[in-house]
Amino acid sequence: MARIIVVTSGKGGVGKTTSSAAIGLGLALKGNKVVLIDFDIGLRNLDLIMGCERRVVYDFVNVINGEATLNQALIKDKRVSSLSVLPASQTRDKDALTKENVGKVLEELGKTFDFIICDSPAGIEAGAMMALYYADEAIVTTNPEVSSVRDSDRILGMLASRSRRAELGLEPIKEHLLLTRYSPKRVADGEMLSVEDVEDILSIPLLGVIPESQAVLKASNAGEPVILDTESDAGQAYQDVIDRLLGDTVDFRFLQTEKKSIFSRIFGG
């Protein structure tokens, strides 16, 4: 039985698609069969970050409309054969997605894959609601700023009330907090909420803290999920996220400012 995980947020630009790509690839590298689905109908960015934009022939909506089979639309990752991407359509209406047709696609994918990662659009519009409806788990992605956290709180309300699990009175969606673009220095300077602040506001278990890093932008521009950059703090933090998702206990890193050595303090290094 596939684990259906939605990567969601209330606000755009918090690193949802970057996180979906890193988590999907990281799970596949651990030997799992993973499919990434882009629910952002009309925009479509997941294929860019995965580096497969030139290989898109058919998309999610083509499958739903019966214009292509899943096998035709799925793009196999060139780095890891157990990872596939189902791209969004750039030209179709978001209303093409319904609970019934999305459910059929997920049911079919669930026969083959261990993990189905749903990359949700931001906010609470139709595409976002479709992305979370069938989820077993949700990775609520937020930046450590008040507006982003507030909007994430609204998403938690949707997860609790608008999902299939809520409608059927089943066990609630398992919620995880992913804090992105975290800077301990800016926290210390009072410019950013701390991990503890965000946990107090949202009250859901912390899955990962991704440090602010130029490696993320560099990786996205190269079409390479940042988890492949094992030398970067961000890449290592996403690897910790994968380990926690798979049930391992891993200490949180990158939460404190680096202390300069005495030589750095003396010579200004």
Side-chain angles (χ1 to χ4, degrees):
M1 191 79 175
R3 284 169 67 178
I4 302 175
I5 302 177
V6 62
V7 181
T8 185
S9 74
K11 188 178 180 183
V14 299
K16 250 185 341 299
T17 301
T18 294
S19 296
S20 296
I23 290 167
L25 183 55
L27 288 168
L29 287 168
K30 290 282 190 176
N32 300 285
K33 292 202 72 177
V34 183
V35 60
L36 286 163
I37 307 179
D38 191 345
F39 274 82
D40 205 352
I41 308 298
L43 290 177
R44 196 174 85 194
N45 287 313
L46 182 60
D47 54 303
L48 286 169
I49 290 180
M50 293 300 296
C52 63
E53 70 278 6
R54 294 180 183 176
R55 298 168 59 203
V56 176
V57 178
Y58 295 108
D59 57 51
F60 195 3
V61 176
N62 290 137
V63 174
I64 280 171
N65 289 342
E67 298 158 353
T69 65
L70 263 175
N71 193 51
Q72 287 176 298
L74 287 172
I75 302 171
K76 275 200 173 185
D77 189 83
K78 289 183 175 180
R79 294 155 295 219
V80 189
S81 62
S82 60
L83 176 64
S84 296
V85 177
L86 181 57
S89 170
Q90 285 185 305
T91 58
R92 306 299 182 101
D93 193 327
K94 290 179 173 64
D95 293 336
L97 303 183
T98 67
K99 291 177 182 177
E100 291 73 25
N101 57 37
V102 169
K104 286 178 182 176
V105 171
L106 294 177
E107 184 179 3
E108 189 64 27
L109 290 169
K111 297 173 183 176
T112 305
F113 293 94
D114 302 312
F115 287 89
I116 299 172
I117 309 296
C118 303
D119 182 30
S120 172
I124 57 172
E125 45 82 27
M129 293 301 101
M130 286 299 103
L132 70 79
Y133 183 74
Y134 288 98
D136 300 312
E137 303 176 49
I139 297 175
V140 180
T141 312
T142 186
N143 292 158
E145 56 182 54
V146 172
S147 62
S148 181
V149 174
R150 180 194 61 195
D151 289 348
S152 292
D153 204 18
R154 192 174 184 192
I155 285 295
L156 291 175
M158 295 297 172
L159 291 167
S161 60
R162 298 282 292 275
S163 69
R164 178 175 176 273
R165 286 175 171 270
E167 285 183 5
L168 298 179
L170 302 174
E171 186 178 338
I173 290 174
K174 186 177 182 180
E175 297 161 341
H176 309 277
L177 172 61
L178 182 63
L179 195 55
T180 56
R181 294 179 184 164
Y182 192 76
S183 169
K185 183 180 184 304
R186 292 179 64 191
V187 171
D189 292 343
E191 300 173 0
M192 186 176 276
L193 297 175
S194 69
V195 172
E196 293 77 14
D197 292 333
V198 179
E199 287 183 295
D200 285 345
I201 296 167
L202 297 181
S203 299
I204 60 174
L206 183 64
L207 177 67
V209 179
I210 312 301
E212 202 166 40
S213 173
Q214 285 297 314
V216 174
L217 180 60
K218 182 181 176 183
S220 296
N221 287 339
E224 293 277 344
V226 71
I227 197 168
L228 292 173
D229 185 356
T230 56
E231 298 299 314
S232 71
D233 289 356
Q236 293 171 40
Y238 274 116
Q239 186 56 65
D240 291 349
V241 167
I242 300 303
D243 292 338
R244 294 187 194 105
L245 272 177
L246 294 175
D248 294 335
T249 300
V250 182
D251 290 339
F252 288 91
R253 300 187 277 174
F254 316 117
L255 303 186
Q256 307 295 331
T257 53
E258 284 189 22
K259 292 183 179 179
K260 289 186 176 182
S261 69
I262 187 169
F263 296 105
S264 296
R265 291 198 299 271
I266 293 171
F267 298 109

